[in-house]
Amino acid sequence: ESTIGRAARLAIELAVDDVNADRTVLAGTTLNLISQDTNCSGFLGTIEALQLMEKNVVAVIGPQSSGIGHVISHVVNELHVPLLSFAATDPTLSASEYPYFLRSTISDYFQMHAVASIIDYFQWKEVTAIFVDDDYGRGGVSVLGDALGAKRARISHKAAIPPNSDTDLINDVLFRANMMESRVFVVHVNPDAGMRIFAIANKLQMMGTGYVWIVTDWLAAVLDSSGPGDPKAMSYIQGLIVLRQHTPDSDAKRKFVAKWNNAANNRSIASGMNSYGFYAYDSVWVVARAINEYLNSGQQITFSADPRLHNSNGSSLRLSKLKIFDGGDQLLQQLLLTNMTGLTGLVQFNADRNLVRPAYDILNVGGTGSRLIGHWSNYSGLSVSSPEILYRKPPNTSTSAQQLHSVVWPGDTTTKPRGWVFPNNGQPLRVGVPNKPSFRELVSVGKGPDNVTGYSVDIFNAAIKLLPYPVPCQFITIGDGSKNPNYDDIISRIATNALDAAVGDFAIVRNRTKIAEFTQPYIEAGLVIVAPVRKANSNAWAFFKPFTLEMWCVTGTLFIFVGVVVWILEHRSNEEFRGSPRRQILTIFWFSFSTMFFAHRENTVSALGRFVLIIWLFVVLIINSSYTASLTSILTVQQLATGITGLDNLVASALPIGYPAGKFVRNYLIDELNIPESRLVPLSTVEEYANALNRGPKDGGVAAVVDEMPCVEIFLSTHCNFRIVGQEFTKEGWGFVCSASNESLCIYSYTFVKGRIISALFFSPSLQAFQRDSPLAADLSTAILQLSESGQLQRIHDEWLTDPTCGDDDSGLGAVRLGLGSFWGLFLLCALICVFALMVYFARICWQYSRYSSSEPPSEPSDSAAAVTTATIAQIRPEKPKPTRLGSFKELIQFADTKEEEIKKVMKRRLSEKDTRATGSAHSVSSA
């Protein structure tokens, strides 16, 4: 007499009649139907099942209750009788535990994934599950939690309703659920008592604007069975989203519905047909076809006694009448091989013994009925097209492919509900703020916990005021104000839910993320080094400082080397590079160093000499410019007082280092940089920073202070005798913290000022304030955007974070002497060009010497006329001794030292003498 039972019983009876009337199935055999009413009772269901098994049944269809299905499955397992259930949807009814159980309807495993897809489609992150506290309800909600987790959402509250609960108990459960943050309710209960939930929810004003109700297929069964509903009852469920098992439209389905309605009218059945009736009808046909195949294969229907079952003395239980179906395994295999098209579409089982094409219609209740807004299938997810169309296409479950028609929500609105509200528990948000003596521009604590100001606090308060609902806040100061509180302790309080929110300069570092969750950084806050600076003291030898000693030596050597090279290249052809040895040495030095000022008087006439000189003058230009710039910098800029120029220099030194007390910097320096703790000095205030840096290491101070960039910028805005040295060596930022166990409750939003991330507001969760994945982030982000667009955010920034009064130009800080490392490439290039020019030059000398040697005439003492002629020429034009054929290296040197012009004259004369001698010889021969 239940909603499902009335539709299913008549459908089963009609199916048996159709089977017996079909000559192609079980020809000559009558299918006999035996009905047992369990009255939705586990105890009665067990008794009824035992009574049923006494009648030697070969298959069982039912039950409609998942709880009774668990009990009966034990019986059929023992007696090897296949059990087909058209309504037991509990996912925990698995084939691994109950091998003879076969579900001929859709498992709630798929229904809960459909619900999760709807929730993900509308981008809700938290839901409240209202369910009946039995196997059916608990199994479905368990799967829902897993499905939501896969989509980064979760069940924030489970409202369990015990079976057969009265109105007062349901009222209490719904009242507690309404106190929670989430306004998205998933209702998974039994159809016969489910409508009472909405009547009570309506009295609690939970069916109005802002609420979301997603109901599983039990409500669709109720609506389909009841026909035109009671207007008062329908008014309670306006705007609900309801799932219904999808059964494709067909002629066979329409004919069966008409047949069912006629039979129902004849039997005075007031309820209508629902989807469970279709699955019940198909279940009978599945069993009939399996038995038909079983008999056609030559199998016999026989039963045997179970030796473990016998009648007990004095007991009226006739257990010996329970027989084992000998062909149960074979019939089960035939059932698993089913492949038919029924009223519900394709009936076929997969390896998990589930139907191969689970699909649901998604309905939106409105007016006196409901309208179809889409479908869900495990093939393609959410779609406005029917599953039968999608099965003909490749599967597509991407986010962009998910679609639904518009929804009319409770309150008769088409605007998507936010899905949550600030929980109505009367407790303010507990916001922790560090009470410290320094950097009050960020967070400043006055007299009393409510007198909290600062840049971060003002942005937080301004954003809270723009929210469309009240968010009471209570600031809780941490620390006594005389020294910095330990920030790790504050984070630990949030992790243990002692605080709900934290506002301040909390750095996001690795060890803190193990116990808490952080927002994205709301301001850049990498670590930097601050060191004192002083004006450079000039002296009489300051002009030597631009270059290092090594640079001076190499530069001087190169000057001399280039001078020698140019002298070698010009010596044979340029009179200015000839003369006495003393004069030539002076020329080399004068020419080399005069090129430094481009004041050399000697002209170069050879091509190689000019090529080398051009390259050298370019090198001299670079050296002069670098020297001038470095000397100017040394005489005018500030110098580092301690010699610390960066992180590597700081770590390698043994000097004391200051750090902000209570922050993560100390652990970072010890654990990451391996700096001994004995070198670290804790500092709490800006004045302590300045005093320690001014005293320096020799007077009990520090060589440098390591702190985060925003704090350093505030410090330097009023202390101009300090500077940042080196580069920022970490890239962490500041964020507000929340508990890692409820990390998705963190709320963050961003705004940009002058191109930088300036602000993010981040809340931690509380079991009473926020729950996991709180969507307050979206509202708070909107509020921050409004602050930015209105200019209020910039005004807050200008009020607290003013521009530094000291200049930001650190380009002249700590000028460095130039070393060989900056010029070795240029020097190497110049030297290689000089060597190349020398190689070309000496190759040319060797070639000329070879020609010169080959042009020397052979000695002919018998030729007196020639000798006289030669002596005469020598008397007319006296010459230097001429080199003869190469006999030693000295002769080659003498040749190279001779002017090239003279060599050419001698070679020309020798050629003329050869011609004369050849003419004379010819004349003598002719006369003879």
Side-chain angles (χ1 to χ4, degrees):
E1 294 301 325
S2 64
T3 300
I4 297 176
R6 286 189 294 268
R9 178 174 181 175
L10 181 54
I12 292 173
E13 293 175 355
L14 294 177
V16 171
D17 294 340
D18 291 343
V19 168
N20 291 330
D22 192 337
R23 297 181 179 274
T24 63
V25 179
L26 293 177
T29 302
T30 301
L31 190 64
N32 184 29
L33 176 64
I34 304 173
S35 300
Q36 298 288 125
D37 189 358
T38 63
N39 291 305
C40 294
S41 169
F43 174 74
L44 292 179
T46 305
I47 301 300
E48 296 286 350
L50 293 176
Q51 293 177 352
L52 189 67
M53 293 301 143
E54 292 180 355
K55 301 175 183 179
N56 293 335
V57 299
V58 297
V60 178
I61 296 177
Q64 71 182 51
S65 169
S66 296
I68 300 175
H70 282 274
V71 176
I72 298 179
S73 293
H74 290 288
V75 178
V76 297
N77 283 351
E78 182 67 23
L79 301 180
H80 298 183
V81 177
L83 171 65
L84 273 76
S85 178
F86 57 86
T89 57
D90 178 13
T92 62
L93 278 168
S94 63
S96 59
E97 183 178 4
Y98 307 111
Y100 284 87
F101 175 81
L102 193 61
R103 195 190 329 266
S104 57
T105 187
I106 303 176
S107 170
D108 279 341
Y109 173 87
F110 301 104
Q111 179 168 215
M112 294 308 168
H113 278 77
V115 172
S117 296
I118 296 173
I119 293 170
D120 182 63
Y121 176 81
F122 291 107
Q123 299 181 351
W124 296 311
K125 295 301 180 183
E126 290 187 353
V127 302
T128 294
I130 301 174
F131 61 98
V132 59
D133 195 8
D134 60 7
D135 293 333
Y136 161 75
R138 289 190 297 268
V141 170
S142 177
V143 174
L144 177 61
D146 295 339
L148 290 175
K151 298 182 179 297
R152 303 184 65 84
R154 72 184 190 108
I155 298 175
S156 59
H157 177 68
K158 294 181 179 180
I161 300 176
N164 303 318
S165 297
D166 57 19
T167 301
D168 292 338
L169 184 55
I170 297 176
N171 185 87
D172 293 341
V173 171
L174 294 181
F175 180 80
R176 287 194 299 269
N178 196 37
M179 295 292 290
M180 301 301 167
E181 177 183 0
S182 175
R183 285 296 178 263
V184 180
F185 298 99
V186 176
V187 184
H188 185 57
V189 296
N190 293 317
D192 297 287
M195 291 299 292
R196 285 193 301 162
I197 293 176
F198 300 115
I200 297 172
N202 185 68
K203 293 181 180 179
L204 295 175
Q205 299 181 353
M206 298 174 62
M207 304 302 297
T209 304
Y211 287 85
V212 177
W213 293 85
I214 301 175
V215 189
T216 55
D217 57 9
W218 67 266
L219 181 57
V222 172
L223 296 178
D224 291 341
S225 299
S226 59
D230 179 10
K232 184 177 181 181
M234 291 298 296
S235 66
Y236 299 156
I237 58 175
Q238 296 295 302
L240 272 60
I241 293 179
V242 182
L243 276 73
R244 179 178 62 194
Q245 295 161 324
H246 174 73
T247 55
D249 193 18
S250 64
D251 291 337
K253 178 181 174 181
R254 287 190 290 270
K255 291 179 180 178
F256 172 75
V257 171
K259 184 177 181 179
W260 190 96
N261 289 332
N262 290 333
N265 292 332
N266 294 334
R267 301 187 187 188
S268 300
I269 298 177
S271 62
M273 184 65 178
N274 57 56
S275 60
Y276 285 100
F278 298 131
Y279 285 101
Y281 181 88
D282 283 349
S283 299
V284 174
W285 276 99
V286 169
V287 171
R289 291 179 182 274
I291 295 175
N292 185 67
E293 294 297 327
Y294 173 84
L295 296 177
N296 289 340
S297 64
Q299 300 288 335
Q300 298 295 323
I301 297 179
T302 60
F303 297 86
S304 60
D306 189 341
R308 292 174 297 178
L309 298 176
H310 54 83
N311 294 330
S312 301
N313 294 330
S315 175
S316 60
L317 296 176
R318 294 173 295 178
L319 299 180
S320 60
K321 287 190 175 183
L322 299 177
K323 305 295 184 180
I324 296 176
F325 177 31
D326 297 330
D329 289 340
Q330 292 78 6
L331 181 59
L332 178 63
Q333 295 305 315
Q334 292 297 333
L335 289 169
L336 294 175
L337 295 175
T338 298
N339 187 356
M340 58 170 272
T341 300
L343 300 181
T344 59
L346 178 63
V347 182
Q348 186 179 359
F349 300 100
N350 58 20
D352 296 328
R353 302 187 181 182
N354 288 314
L355 294 177
V356 293
R357 289 184 175 178
Y360 286 89
D361 298 333
I362 303 175
L363 310 176
N364 182 207
V365 179
T368 59
S370 61
R371 64 185 181 93
L372 184 67
I373 61 173
H375 305 272
W376 179 93
S377 69
N378 69 329
Y379 186 78
S380 294
L382 298 175
S383 175
V384 294
S385 300
S386 67
E388 288 71 35
I389 296 177
L390 298 177
Y391 291 145
R392 297 193 292 266
K393 301 178 181 179
N396 186 3
T397 57
S398 62
T399 303
S400 59
Q402 308 300 293
Q403 293 181 349
L404 288 177
H405 291 301
S406 61
V407 180
V408 179
W409 304 99
D412 196 23
T413 176
T414 57
T415 302
K416 187 194 79 171
R418 185 171 57 245
W420 75 281
V421 294
F422 196 83
N424 186 22
N425 53 20
Q427 295 187 5
L429 187 72
R430 298 167 297 175
V431 182
V433 292
N435 184 12
K436 56 182 184 177
S438 58
F439 304 109
R440 295 180 175 272
E441 292 85 352
L442 301 173
V443 177
S444 177
V445 178
K447 295 181 180 180
D450 295 332
N451 190 14
V452 179
T453 58
Y455 173 65
S456 298
V457 176
D458 282 5
I459 292 181
F460 172 78
N461 289 333
I464 289 294
K465 292 179 181 178
L466 292 179
L467 295 178
Y469 42 83
V471 180
C473 298
Q474 176 187 0
F475 290 106
I476 300 175
T477 60
I478 302 173
D480 55 10
S482 61
K483 62 179 181 179
N484 292 344
N486 190 299
Y487 280 39
D488 289 337
D489 291 343
I490 299 177
I491 295 175
S492 297
R493 295 189 187 187
I494 296 175
T496 58
N497 288 325
L499 292 175
D500 299 325
V503 176
D505 48 338
F506 295 95
I508 305 172
V509 292
R510 181 180 56 192
N511 62 331
R512 291 178 178 176
T513 59
K514 296 178 181 179
I515 62 173
E517 293 292 330
F518 289 81
T519 65
Q520 295 291 330
Y522 67 90
I523 192 170
E524 297 175 0
L527 292 179
V528 293
I529 302 171
V530 180
V533 295
R534 55 176 172 76
K535 286 289 184 179
N537 296 324
S538 181
N539 56 59
W541 304 102
F543 63 90
F544 280 119
K545 292 183 178 181
F547 292 160
T548 61
L549 177 61
E550 183 185 36
M551 180 67 180
W552 280 118
C553 294
V554 173
T555 303
T557 302
L558 193 60
F559 267 96
I560 298 174
F561 174 69
V562 172
V564 171
V565 171
V566 174
W567 175 80
I568 292 174
L569 298 176
E570 295 290 323
H571 178 68
R572 299 186 67 210
S573 58
N574 194 337
E575 286 291 343
E576 294 182 353
F577 288 87
R578 299 184 64 84
S580 64
R582 179 176 177 275
R583 181 172 181 269
Q584 293 184 56
I585 292 175
L586 291 176
T587 298
I588 291 175
F589 280 93
W590 164 254
F591 179 82
S592 299
F593 291 99
S594 62
T595 55
M596 182 183 299
F597 311 103
F598 306 98
H600 52 285
R601 298 174 299 178
E602 295 79 9
N603 293 322
T604 52
V605 296
S606 66
L608 290 174
R610 290 176 176 176
F611 176 64
V612 171
L613 183 60
I614 289 174
I615 300 301
W616 174 243
L617 291 179
F618 174 73
V619 174
V620 170
L621 175 65
I622 299 300
I623 294 175
N624 281 344
S625 302
S626 301
Y627 177 86
T628 303
S630 181
L631 181 61
T632 303
S633 176
I634 289 174
L635 296 178
T636 58
V637 304
Q638 296 171 319
Q639 298 292 314
L640 296 172
T642 59
I644 300 298
T645 58
L647 178 62
D648 294 337
N649 187 289
L650 177 66
V651 174
S653 70
L655 300 176
I657 304 171
Y659 70 91
K663 288 194 173 184
F664 79 101
V665 180
R666 173 183 175 276
N667 293 336
Y668 180 85
L669 295 176
I670 295 175
D671 299 337
E672 303 296 333
L673 302 182
N674 298 318
I675 296 178
E677 187 176 359
S678 58
R679 290 179 55 190
L680 303 181
V681 179
L683 305 172
S684 295
T685 65
V686 172
E687 291 73 18
E688 290 183 7
Y689 280 30
N691 293 335
L693 289 171
N694 285 328
R695 289 199 308 270
K698 296 182 180 179
D699 296 330
V702 297
V705 171
V706 178
D707 201 349
E708 295 164 289
M709 178 64 80
C711 296
V712 169
E713 290 177 346
I714 295 174
F715 170 70
L716 295 181
S717 66
T718 55
H719 295 79
C720 301
N721 55 331
F722 307 103
R723 285 292 184 271
I724 298 174
V725 297
Q727 300 295 323
E728 194 174 14
F729 56 90
T730 64
K731 292 298 181 181
E732 80 278 348
W734 290 348
F736 298 91
V737 198
C738 76
S739 170
S741 61
N742 295 287
E743 69 277 3
S744 48
L745 209 89
C746 302
I747 300 150
Y748 53 92
S749 57
Y750 311 97
T751 186
F752 294 84
V753 177
K754 297 183 179 179
R756 297 178 59 191
I757 298 178
I758 294 298
S759 176
L761 297 183
F762 194 107
F763 294 87
S764 71
S766 170
L767 295 178
Q768 297 179 338
F770 298 129
Q771 298 298 321
R772 186 185 179 109
D773 281 339
S774 171
L776 179 61
D779 292 344
L780 200 55
S781 297
T782 303
I784 294 294
L785 184 60
Q786 293 177 10
L787 290 176
S788 178
E789 292 175 349
S790 65
Q792 186 177 355
L793 186 64
Q794 184 62 47
R795 289 192 293 271
I796 296 175
H797 174 269
D798 295 339
E799 179 182 353
W800 292 102
L801 304 180
T802 56
D803 294 333
T805 57
C806 302
D808 291 333
D809 185 13
D810 296 333
S811 59
L813 180 61
V816 180
R817 300 177 69 185
L818 299 176
L820 185 61
S822 303
F823 298 93
W824 72 268
L826 187 64
F827 287 170
L828 179 62
L829 177 63
C830 181
L832 291 176
I833 291 175
C834 291
V835 171
F836 172 75
L838 289 176
M839 292 174 63
V840 174
Y841 173 76
F842 285 121
R844 187 168 176 269
I845 289 291
C846 293
W847 176 74
Q848 286 183 347
Y849 185 75
S850 176
R851 291 188 58 195
Y852 176 79
S853 300
S854 63
S855 67
E856 184 178 357
S859 59
E860 298 177 3
S862 61
D863 192 346
S864 59
V868 173
T869 303
T870 303
T872 302
I873 293 173
Q875 292 176 0
I876 295 173
R877 185 168 181 170
E879 296 178 353
K880 294 181 180 180
K882 306 174 187 59
T884 59
R885 294 184 182 277
L886 183 58
S888 65
F889 180 73
K890 182 178 179 180
E891 293 177 354
L892 178 60
I893 296 300
Q894 290 177 352
F895 176 81
D897 186 57
T898 305
K899 290 187 63 176
E900 187 174 6
E901 183 180 355
E902 294 178 1
I903 295 297
K904 290 180 178 180
K905 289 180 180 180
V906 172
M907 293 176 63
K908 183 178 181 180
R909 177 175 52 80
R910 286 181 177 180
L911 292 175
S912 177
E913 288 176 355
K914 284 185 178 182
D915 294 341
T916 302
R917 189 178 297 111
T919 303
S921 299
H923 181 70
S924 299
V925 172
S926 176
S927 299

